[in-house]
Amino acid sequence: ADESSGYESESAGAERAPAGGIHGRQRRARTAFTSEQVCRMEKTFQRQKYLGPSERKKLAAALQLSEIQIKTWFQNRRMKLKRQI
């Protein structure tokens, strides 16, 4: 039976090698954050550039995202700020 991991990035009959290489796992589809999620994360970022585990957990639950998604967003946002400065 043809099984799919359920990720949107997979397409039937794709001729490309997996993004993770021969031995790597397939990459997760890119998260499209809603404008409400981005707005809430931006507001939080203006108050504090780094989140501790408890703040990250609360924000993830409130926005229905994983803690890893929150952590990565904040890392990327700090890099964006660094580039702007």
Side-chain angles (χ1 to χ4, degrees), residues 9-24:
S9 62
E10 286 185 357
S11 58
E15 297 292 327
R16 299 193 331 246
I22 296 170
H23 299 290

Side-chain angles (χ1 to χ4, degrees), residues 15-50:
E15 297 292 327
R16 299 193 331 246
I22 296 170
H23 299 290
R25 296 183 305 203
Q26 272 209 305
R27 292 177 66 165
R28 191 174 194 283
R30 180 175 172 156
T31 301
F33 297 111
T34 66
S35 55
E36 291 84 9
Q37 289 171 330
V38 173
C39 185
R40 178 83 180 269
M41 289 188 287
E42 283 289 352
K43 278 184 179 179
T44 305
F45 184 78
Q46 295 308 318
R47 281 187 273 115
Q48 53 187 132
K49 307 296 185 241
Y50 292 86

